[in-house]
Amino acid sequence: MNEMNYLVREGQQVTMEGSTPIYNIRIPTKSGATASILSNGTLSMYVYKNGSDFTSTFTTGSMSVSGDVITTKTFTGLVGGDILHVTIFATVDGVFGCVAEFPLIVRKKSGR
């Protein structure tokens, strides 16, 4: 496999069809302290395409937490031209909520 780890930045993320990216999401706190992220039962990820849930179609594996960084499931079966909406939920410092969401643009190998 050609798994690659990427740090999610604001805005859309771009990848190529056939790739199997994994994204890392750093959770900042206002005080600058390391966030406390629970990984037991509250960590979840959803992938939507055209308003329908395609999480099980486009992802495999499980999510993990290390310090203040959440690592996503591995994306698989990506098709050029797709625009996927990714949403990550977690309990951070005792509060459950959406910690990241971004569009994932899948480019065709031809570059279009």
Side-chain angles (χ1 to χ4, degrees):
M1 279 203 278
N2 60 345
E3 293 178 1
M4 296 293 295
N5 278 355
Y6 299 95
L7 181 62
V8 170
R9 306 219 185 268
E10 289 185 34
Q12 69 186 19
Q13 307 300 304
V14 179
T15 193
M16 297 296 286
E17 66 183 344
S19 66
T20 55
I22 299 169
Y23 292 92
N24 293 314
I25 298 110
R26 175 162 276 122
I27 307 301
T29 62
K30 290 181 183 180
S31 68
T34 300
S36 172
I37 305 168
L38 296 180
S39 60
N40 57 343
T42 65
L43 192 58
S44 56
M45 173 178 163
Y46 299 96
V47 179
Y48 280 82
K49 176 182 169 185
N50 297 327
S52 297
D53 187 351
F54 277 81
T55 306
S56 62
T57 302
F58 291 117
T59 63
T60 187
S62 59
M63 300 175 69
S64 64
V65 173
S66 177
D68 62 351
V69 176
I70 296 172
T71 301
T72 67
K73 296 177 179 182
T74 303
F75 287 85
T76 64
L78 299 175
V79 178
D82 279 349
I83 300 174
L84 307 175
H85 184 83
V86 181
T87 309
I88 311 290
F89 291 90
T91 299
V92 179
D93 293 335
V95 179
F96 178 77
C98 178
V99 295
E101 64 179 324
F102 56 90
L104 179 59
I105 312 293
V106 184
R107 301 259 189 237
K108 294 182 180 183
K109 287 190 179 182
S110 65
R112 297 183 177 184

